[in-house]
Amino acid sequence: MRRFLKQNSTKEVSPVLITILGTTTPEAIKIWFVHQRLQQFIDRPRQCNKCFSFTHPSRVCDKANACYLCGAVHIGPCQQPEKCVNCNGSHNAKSRSCPFYIKEQKILELKCRNHITTGEARRIFQQNTAKYSETVKTMPAVTNLEDTINAKFETLLQAINDKFERQMAIFADMLQKSMDCICQNLCKIIAQFVDPSSSPVRKKKLFSNLHQMSGSVTSFDAGGSNASEDMPLG
């Protein structure tokens, strides 16, 4: 919770820590008829001021005073390059980018959000980390990701091409049946308007040509051009 400030005030103030009995934290409280929202307090990691470890306080540490810059025990200004005593990284022991500091911060956050002790939070965090490490180790390694992606992409294209060809075959069959039906109906219509005075030979030749045209197979190439030949009607 933040302190009360006057409007347009530039004064910097620190948050106010409120202790609430119980394990349930309310979202807000009322103080002097003012509705104040609450934020959960997460403590920062505590370090020993002698050995700069995160596992114990200074009052119980039995080690010699170490330099927080290089981690060695010496007297006077430090002339050595920075080296963390916890992770051996190229930073001092008080750096907030240290993996040990980040780990302790996550443990304290787990403790605060679940209302458990620091020991329980540390044990749960280590168990979760171990499970994650085992999962990463058991994951199959991809030796050649590019070849795998290309193979899957080619398989997908082949499946799409096969499906497209099947659909085109179905469409061509439906079109052929439709054209046959149209030609048959056209033959019937023309037969109704044939001149009765025409010779039997001419009538027979006309019906023969119409029958051949109605039963002809029409083929289409990839460009959609018609490959059937025109047949004379007589």
Side-chain angles (χ1 to χ4, degrees):
M1 187 190 77
R2 296 287 179 180
R3 293 181 185 270
F4 296 105
L5 291 177
K6 293 183 179 180
Q7 191 174 5
N8 300 327
S9 175
T10 59
K11 184 179 179 181
E12 295 183 0
V13 295
S14 59
V16 177
L17 180 63
I18 297 178
T19 303
I20 298 176
L21 297 178
T23 58
T24 303
T25 305
E27 295 183 357
I29 59 174
K30 279 189 177 181
I31 300 179
W32 297 310
F33 307 102
V34 178
H35 189 77
Q36 290 288 331
R37 289 185 175 274
L38 299 181
Q39 294 181 354
Q40 209 164 24
F41 174 74
I42 300 176
D43 198 5
R44 61 180 178 83
R46 305 294 180 88
Q47 276 184 289
C48 173
N49 292 327
K50 297 178 67 177
C51 67
F52 300 100
S53 174
F54 293 98
T55 58
H56 60 266
S58 303
R59 64 177 181 272
V60 297
C61 182
D62 56 355
K63 297 181 181 180
N65 292 336
C67 176
Y68 78 96
L69 293 174
C70 65
V73 179
H74 60 79
I75 300 175
C78 182
Q79 303 294 334
Q80 302 295 328
E82 290 187 349
K83 182 179 180 181
C84 180
V85 296
N86 294 310
C87 68
N88 295 326
S90 58
H91 54 264
N92 60 65
K94 295 183 179 181
S95 174
R96 295 192 176 185
S97 61
C98 177
F100 277 71
Y101 182 91
I102 297 174
K103 173 185 174 182
E104 291 297 321
Q105 186 70 38
K106 292 180 179 179
I107 291 174
L108 292 177
E109 184 177 355
L110 181 65
K111 166 193 172 182
C112 179
R113 298 192 183 281
N114 294 277
H115 306 288
I116 57 179
T117 63
T118 305
E120 292 176 348
R122 194 181 303 277
R123 178 176 53 82
I124 294 173
F125 182 83
Q126 291 176 354
Q127 289 178 354
N128 294 339
T129 305
K131 290 180 181 179
Y132 176 77
S133 301
E134 292 177 359
T135 304
V136 172
K137 289 180 180 179
T138 55
M139 288 179 62
V142 180
T143 56
N144 198 335
L145 183 60
E146 185 177 357
D147 292 343
T148 304
I149 294 176
N150 291 336
K152 291 184 177 180
F153 187 70
E154 291 178 359
T155 304
L156 179 62
L157 287 180
Q158 185 64 32
I160 294 174
N161 189 25
D162 294 341
K163 187 174 182 180
F164 179 76
E165 290 181 355
R166 290 195 298 269
Q167 294 293 335
M168 287 299 298
I170 295 173
F171 175 74
D173 184 63
M174 293 175 60
L175 184 61
Q176 177 64 39
K177 292 180 179 179
S178 300
M179 294 185 66
D180 291 343
C181 183
I182 292 173
C183 291
Q184 291 176 4
N185 293 333
L186 182 62
C187 290
K188 294 179 181 179
I189 294 173
I190 294 176
Q192 294 177 0
F193 293 95
V194 172
D195 188 5
S197 61
S198 300
S199 63
V201 177
R202 185 176 179 83
K203 290 181 180 180
K204 184 176 180 180
K205 185 177 181 181
L206 175 62
F207 286 120
S208 177
N209 291 338
L210 290 175
H211 180 71
Q212 291 179 5
M213 185 176 65
S214 63
S216 62
V217 179
T218 306
S219 60
F220 294 88
D221 58 8
S225 60
N226 192 348
S228 62
E229 297 181 355
D230 296 335
M231 300 183 64
L233 296 178

